[in-house]
Amino acid sequence: GAGVSQSPSNKVTEKGKDVELRCDPISGHTALYWYRQSLGQGLEFLIYFQGNSAPDKSGLPSDRFSAERTGGSVSTLTIQRTQQEDSAVYLCASSKDRQETQYFGPGTRLLVL
Amino acid sequence: DQQVKQNSPSLSVQEGRISILNCDYTNSMFDYFLWYKKYPAEGPTFLISISSIKDKNEDGRFTVFLNKSAKHLSLHIVPSQPGDSAVYFCASGTYKYIFGTGTRLKVLA
């Protein structure tokens, strides 16, 4: 009965480097979401995938951020040319379908030096 | 511009007493609300939700109240237990959840 898993759990990188964050959703969940939580803030929606539909990218903060979801399962969030303000916890969630309860992974804590 | 606000960053309550966590929202079009609980180093866990057609939803020790005219919701935990100590987030939305900044609840034994 695996939940949502994310890797790595922690990532330290230097400003200007690219990073990839991975999310494995719950098996059978068609919807997948990425959020981030900066220090002292609430969770901020980034991007949403639903089946084979085009993703809702309306929350991505800049064009340095991108995400893909291969085969309707695993998703990768990529941040290019990282900046210090990208430091945050990046959380992935999945749900059976849109408007169903979202189940979150433990997050990836990203620190950009 | 925060659309979902939790104005109390922290709350301490004695074990066995009631915990009341508050949340305000600005958009009267919001019609679905949720509460999540988060322990350190874990992802948020769904706790309870309420639709705008209701003003109360109860699940065991947890009750959420919605006051649409005041754009306010609250989560009541009765009786509070030390294991309830966590950060509680309220959120609104159908799939793109908008979260508040959270309230850290500490239940004192």
Side-chain angles (χ1 to χ4, degrees), chain A residues 25-32 49-52 69-75:
Chain A
I26 293 171
S27 177
H29 280 194
T30 62
L32 186 146
F49 295 90
Q50 173 64 58
N52 294 321
R69 188 179 184 192
T70 52
S73 180
V74 171
S75 176

Side-chain angles (χ1 to χ4, degrees), chain B residues 1-2 22 26 32 37 46 51 53-54 57 63 70 79 90 93 100 109:
Chain B
D1 182 29
Q2 281 206 288
N22 293 304
T26 58
Y32 188 68
K37 178 168 80 170
F46 171 74
S51 161
I53 61 172
K54 291 184 165 185
N57 189 24
T63 303
C90 67

